[in-house]
Amino acid sequence: MTIRHTLLTGLTAASLLFSGCASYHVRQGNRLYNQLAYSQAVTEYEKALGKKSFPEAERKLADSYRLMNNWSKAEQSYAKVVQSSSVQPIDRLHYGQLLMRSGKYPQAQEQLDLYLASVPGDETARRIRQSCDSIAGWKADSAKYTLEVSPLNSGQVNFAPVYYKDGLVLVTDRSMKASPKTYAWTSRPFLDLYYAKLDGSGKPGSPKAMQGAVNGIYHEGPVAFTANGDTAYVTRNNYVKKKVGKSNQDVVNLKIYQIVRKDTSWSNMTEVPFNSDDFSTGHPTLSSDGQSMIFASDRPGGQGGVDLWLSRKVNGTWSQPENMGPAVNTAYNDVFPTLWKDSVLYYSSEGRHGMGGLDLYRAEKAGSSWNRPENVGYPLNTSFDDFGIAVNDSATGGFVSSNRGGNPEIDQIYAFAINDLRFTLEGIAVEKGTQEPLAGVLVELLNRKTGKKETAVTGPDGKFMFKLNRETEYSVVGSKDGFFTNTEIVSTVGKVRSENMFVKLKLELEKIIINKPIVLENIYYDLDKWDIRPDAAVELDKLVQTLKDNPGIRIELSSHTDSRADDKYNDVLSQKRAESAVQYLTSRGIDASRMIAKGYGERVLVNGCKNDVKCTEEEHQANRRTEFKVIEMTK
């Protein structure tokens, strides 16, 4: 069903004429196409193209099938269009988007690349092209949601559920009539609003048509309700009492109407003041106090396509709408907004980083604006159209609409549960020098939020594993007798997808050898100075952590120079530098009795660059170093 496109829809009543002349069928097809009667236009185009090649008719046939959501037929037609000499860049864009919907991402990339070569400034299309490279990532977190087909479905179109009272209101084209009035765009019945009561477990019963003036002879839905349930704002075609209003282009657009509940039925229907005959307005959602409305519209002044707009009630009257701007809207269609407790905005977009078609996005409120929308992920999103979400009060689940069910012309409603994010830390303890696995390493996981500790001891393969909580930072400490204890930090803060964090951690332990010098890399001093520079402090902080992790060791911290200055000068300078480093460590909480500062000057060179020997700068640099060695170790 193409309600995603109903913000551009019109009503038509066109009679079909038959002729053996191919050009006649093209003219008939064009007339029906211009009246948005796509389901009838395709019949005429197919007749014409069966007799003769008409490139423009092939393009409009492909476009008609696309707008009807008959994607397989649209894909077949666009495959012919892009091979013709009259191919246009927009044809490649549409074909690429259809290929994405079919999950044919490599072929989609090819068409989108060709489109972008012709229209390099379309940044929205560039984002869509980049999405093709991210599909495996979207599907990596399939455990985030549990999804099942809802019993609300009936074989007909069903979509855009909203919570109302103790049940759900949905949009559907099911009908109680034997021969319901049909819609020329798709040849399917017009849409109505139905209500289904939820049982104690949250499962819906059989939907029933809403009573009163809420349902009419043309399209009704989607809908939004005030918190007390007594007022509804309904999307419907531009008509009142069978009198149809049309735009200058002879199109019957969508409008939002306010309607009030009296007892068990609805009446007193009035338009909101920001409607217009010349563009569509629909898909409303309300703030909890009923004083703000976000809706979708293709009115002028937007970012392109259909945008989301905001209106506020001022002294009982809805204000002139404000576009929600590029932080929310794209150059393509942005539709079906849902406000959850005034703090989260869900909506669907064709123009963001996604899996194809309409994807669902989630933006959190930040003061008077909205944070960057985030794709809600698979399996709520697929390569099909995913839209019209309803989230329950506890944010543990809800319902969502999609045309993934096998026939993209039929939207269905799915029930979903939001599962806890799952994070697994798998690591391996290895000896630093050989990179061989270490058995018998005590690995301690410290939850830095709660202080809770968990431990594991590595086997012969050196491996360990822990389950992690969301939004939590951890310390992972590995210790083994005769080795330096090592600490690593891992975090799930800000992660929105479940993750196996194996590649994030390799716990390296170095064997402690008494009096073996260990070079501290990247400890530099200014010329003739011994002050600790900020870059040296970063490296010394690593030694601070080593000393804290290994409270039983006592070290000598030594400083060395090259041979190019006077011997006595080098002795004095190196001693001052070693003392300065020890003082820094003391300032960071290390007991001074655990450290000895020793300046060796040029007396312990690591190569042959002694006095009067010509060496390269790199060779001299190797001698200018800071080291530490363990001189004593206690249990």
Side-chain angles (χ1 to χ4, degrees):
M1 177 61 192
T2 52
I3 190 62
R4 273 84 72 204
H5 309 287
T6 56
L7 288 164
L8 306 173
T9 189
L11 303 176
T12 181
S15 59
L16 294 177
L17 301 176
F18 297 89
S19 170
C21 177
S23 59
Y24 173 81
H25 289 299
V26 171
R27 291 195 301 274
Q28 286 293 88
N30 288 343
R31 179 178 64 82
L32 293 163
Y33 179 92
N34 292 334
Q35 293 175 339
L36 312 184
Y38 302 116
S39 63
Q40 298 169 32
V42 296
T43 301
E44 297 298 323
Y45 288 137
E46 293 279 17
K47 288 178 179 178
L49 292 167
K51 300 174 184 293
K52 185 178 178 181
S53 175
F54 291 92
E56 186 60 24
E58 190 73 68
R59 174 178 290 108
K60 288 183 176 179
L61 175 65
D63 205 41
S64 296
Y65 278 131
R66 177 180 66 87
L67 292 168
M68 291 168 60
N69 273 13
N70 191 331
W71 294 344
S72 61
K73 290 286 185 70
E75 189 178 319
Q76 292 171 20
S77 294
Y78 273 113
K80 297 175 184 176
V81 171
V82 298
Q83 295 299 320
S84 72
S85 58
S86 62
V87 61
Q88 298 175 7
I90 192 66
D91 300 326
R92 297 196 182 278
L93 175 62
H94 287 156
Y95 188 32
Q97 290 175 303
L98 283 165
L99 290 166
M100 285 185 70
R101 281 183 160 103
S102 300
K104 300 173 183 176
Y105 296 105
Q107 299 94 313
Q109 288 174 325
E110 180 182 350
Q111 294 300 321
L112 293 170
D113 284 340
L114 290 168
Y115 169 75
L116 287 166
S118 301
V119 191
D122 191 338
E123 292 303 318
T124 302
R126 195 171 301 280
R127 281 198 299 272
I128 294 172
R129 163 62 180 83
Q130 291 167 350
S131 297
C132 293
D133 298 322
S134 306
I135 302 307
W138 294 124
K139 293 187 175 181
D141 195 23
S142 59
K144 185 175 181 181
Y145 305 101
T146 301
L147 200 77
E148 62 181 14
V149 177
S150 169
L152 288 167
N153 299 307
S154 56
Q156 289 84 28
V157 167
N158 301 276
F159 66 96
V162 294
Y163 286 101
Y164 174 66
K165 298 291 185 178
D166 53 357
L168 289 170
V169 172
L170 63 143
V171 185
T172 179
D173 69 358
R174 71 186 74 197
S175 177
M176 303 302 292
K177 298 177 182 178
S179 300
K181 189 177 180 66
T182 58
Y183 171 42
W185 187 310
T186 62
S187 290
R188 294 194 61 83
F190 284 95
L191 300 165
D192 282 329
L193 292 170
Y194 276 57
Y195 172 79
K197 188 173 182 178
L198 296 174
D199 66 18
S201 65
K203 291 186 177 180
S206 179
K208 305 293 183 184
M210 295 185 70
Q211 300 301 306
V214 66
N215 287 321
I217 58 174
Y218 299 125
H219 284 313
E220 280 81 29
V223 63
F225 296 94
T226 55
N228 63 11
D230 289 340
T231 302
Y233 291 88
V234 182
T235 308
R236 68 199 306 263
N237 283 123
N238 180 12
Y239 75 98
V240 176
K241 295 181 179 179
K242 298 185 180 182
K243 182 179 180 182
V244 174
K246 295 185 178 181
S247 69
N248 292 331
Q249 286 74 42
D250 204 34
V251 173
V252 180
N253 284 306
L254 297 177
K255 290 186 175 183
I256 296 175
Y257 292 81
Q258 176 183 303
I259 188 168
V260 178
R261 184 170 69 94
K262 186 175 181 181
D263 298 325
T264 59
S265 66
W266 296 84
S267 60
N268 193 25
M269 182 176 291
T270 57
E271 284 192 44
V272 296
F274 46 78
N275 286 327
S276 171
D277 290 346
D278 293 322
F279 49 76
S280 280
T281 302
H283 304 180
T285 186
L286 293 169
S287 59
S288 56
D289 62 4
Q291 298 300 298
S292 296
M293 182 191 297
I294 296 174
F295 60 91
S297 177
D298 61 348
R299 66 187 56 222
Q303 307 299 314
V306 179
D307 274 10
L308 298 188
W309 298 75
L310 170 67
S311 177
R312 297 180 177 87
K313 252 187 183 179
V314 180
N315 297 324
T317 302
W318 290 106
S319 68
Q320 186 66 23
E322 306 166 15
N323 189 274
M324 295 190 71
V328 170
N329 291 312
T330 68
Y332 295 177
N333 291 329
D334 303 280
V335 288
F336 289 98
T338 299
L339 266 176
W340 184 81
K341 294 191 174 182
D342 298 341
S343 62
V344 179
L345 173 65
Y346 292 92
Y347 70 105
S348 291
S349 177
E350 290 180 325
R352 294 193 171 276
H353 200 64
M355 297 185 70
L358 284 172
D359 266 22
L360 281 157
Y361 295 84
R362 179 184 188 276
E364 294 188 0
K365 191 76 177 291
S368 59
S369 60
W370 296 90
N371 288 330
R372 182 177 179 273
E374 299 289 341
N375 190 297
V376 301
Y378 180 84
L380 282 193
N381 283 325
T382 63
S383 62
F384 295 88
D385 285 337
D386 308 291
F387 60 100
I389 192 170
V391 180
N392 62 27
D393 282 344
S394 59
T396 57
F399 297 86
V400 67
S401 317
S402 179
N403 64 345
R404 70 184 73 181
N407 180 356
E409 297 179 68
I410 303 294
D411 301 321
Q412 291 189 323
I413 294 173
Y414 295 80
F416 69 91
I418 302 173
N419 303 320
D420 290 336
L421 291 176
R422 302 170 187 179
F423 299 101
T424 302
L425 173 64
E426 294 183 61
I428 183 169
V430 298
E431 186 171 355
K432 187 172 183 180
T434 65
Q435 293 296 296
E436 290 294 320
L438 273 175
V441 175
L442 176 64
V443 183
E444 182 180 83
L445 179 76
L446 171 66
N447 184 320
R448 301 178 76 170
K449 181 188 290 187
T450 65
K452 180 182 177 182
K453 294 181 180 180
E454 297 179 57
T455 60
V457 178
T458 61
D461 60 1
K463 293 182 179 179
F464 57 90
M465 183 181 76
F466 296 101
K467 299 292 185 182
L468 306 181
N469 297 331
R470 61 186 301 181
E471 296 296 323
T472 305
E473 191 172 77
Y474 294 88
S475 297
V476 185
V477 182
S479 60
K480 180 178 172 68
D481 287 347
F483 288 80
F484 287 105
T485 297
N486 189 20
T487 299
E488 298 286 350
I489 303 298
V490 294
S491 177
T492 61
V493 174
K495 292 184 179 292
V496 296
R497 295 182 184 177
S498 299
E499 182 178 336
N500 183 314
M501 301 174 71
F502 175 76
V503 295
K504 299 291 185 183
L505 181 68
K506 181 185 280 187
L507 197 58
E508 294 183 315
L509 275 70
E510 186 170 3
K511 196 168 186 177
I512 298 175
I513 301 176
I514 301 296
N515 290 322
K516 176 191 175 183
I518 299 173
V519 176
L520 295 171
E521 303 291 348
N522 304 315
I523 303 291
Y524 302 117
Y525 297 90
D526 293 329
L527 182 65
D528 294 331
K529 302 290 185 181
W530 49 88
D531 300 319
I532 301 299
R533 297 184 351 183
D535 54 349
V538 172
E539 300 304 316
L540 286 172
D541 283 339
K542 296 177 183 178
L543 180 56
V544 169
Q545 188 62 51
T546 298
L547 290 168
K548 288 182 177 179
D549 287 343
N550 299 270
I553 64 173
R554 188 165 177 264
I555 67 167
E556 175 191 277
L557 193 147
S558 59
S559 181
H560 303 260
T561 69
D562 60 34
S563 63
R564 289 183 291 185
D566 177 78
D567 291 2
K568 184 176 181 180
Y569 170 84
N570 283 337
D571 282 343
V572 172
L573 180 62
S574 64
Q575 182 63 32
K576 288 182 176 180
R577 287 177 172 175
E579 290 172 353
S580 183
V582 166
Q583 289 170 4
Y584 177 83
L585 297 176
T586 302
S587 73
R588 302 290 288 169
I590 305 302
D591 189 337
S593 66
R594 296 179 61 197
M595 300 173 288
I596 295 175
K598 180 67 176 178
Y600 285 94
E602 59 186 85
R603 287 177 283 125
V604 187
L605 301 174
V606 296
N607 52 38
C609 296
K610 58 185 178 181
N611 291 339
D612 301 325
V613 175
K614 187 175 182 180
C615 292
T616 65
E617 182 58 36
E618 288 76 13
E619 290 171 319
H620 284 304
Q621 177 63 56
N623 287 318
R624 298 194 301 272
R625 66 198 189 278
T626 299
E627 297 175 339
F628 80 94
K629 61 185 178 183
V630 177
I631 58 175
E632 184 180 337
M633 181 170 62
T634 61
K635 291 284 188 179

